[in-house]
Amino acid sequence: MTDTWEPTAAGVLRLPSGRLVRGRGLRRPLPPGPVPMFALYLLGREPPPVGWEARWLRWPDFRLPSDRAAAAHALREAWTRAEDERVEIACGGGYGRTGTALACLAVLDGVPRGEAVAYVRGHYASRAVETPWQRRYVTRFP
């Protein structure tokens, strides 16, 4: 892989395939080091512009994506790009929506749906995926 995150950097999830994806909370400062090449922002309203390629998904706090088909497409794009690009997934706090999205990436990467939340909690953040409906979303992710 080239142009990816350092596997030991804070907030970086290593998927079973070796892909690296950084999760973070947008309410905290940008971490030191390289900036993303592509970012997927999961927020209730459009975020301010950034200096890298980014996509916004309408995803209100503690809820699910407003458009599930668009979410599935965006998450597949993030997973594909993470093979050789620095990909960031972020929401306000970096746990609920970000954790849910990371768990969906884990499913795309081959982690069984019923184990994806535990995988992300064990390899990213113990607080990831905050609500029962977010956990259910992961188990039903296409």
Side-chain angles (χ1 to χ4, degrees):
M1 282 190 273
T2 61
D3 291 325
T4 60
W5 303 109
E6 286 295 319
T8 57
V12 174
L13 172 68
R14 179 185 290 277
L15 294 166
S17 67
R19 285 173 168 89
L20 302 171
V21 181
R22 181 171 75 186
R24 78 175 178 103
L26 294 171
R27 290 192 293 264
R28 292 189 293 280
L30 186 67
V35 298
M37 298 169 83
F38 174 76
L40 182 57
Y41 296 127
L42 316 170
L43 299 165
R45 64 178 131 184
E46 191 168 1
V50 291
W52 47 85
E53 187 178 354
R55 180 185 291 217
W56 166 58
L57 270 179
R58 184 179 304 277
W59 192 331
D61 203 6
F62 296 107
R63 304 228 187 271
L64 297 175
S66 298
D67 182 336
R68 292 183 189 196
H73 177 76
L75 291 166
R76 279 189 192 92
E77 179 183 6
W79 177 79
T80 299
R81 293 178 76 151
E83 186 171 8
D84 58 9
E85 294 180 43
R86 289 185 307 274
V87 172
E88 173 177 85
I89 306 282
C91 65
Y95 298 106
R97 294 167 285 181
T98 296
T100 302
L102 291 173
C104 290
L105 295 186
V107 169
L108 290 172
D109 208 62
V111 175
R113 286 174 176 83
E115 298 172 20
V117 171
Y119 183 88
V120 170
R121 286 178 175 170
H123 294 89
Y124 169 68
S126 61
R127 295 175 41 199
V129 193
E130 295 175 312
T131 68
W133 40 93
Q134 289 172 341
R135 287 191 299 276
R136 187 170 49 247
Y137 180 80
V138 173
T139 63
R140 296 177 181 172
F141 185 72

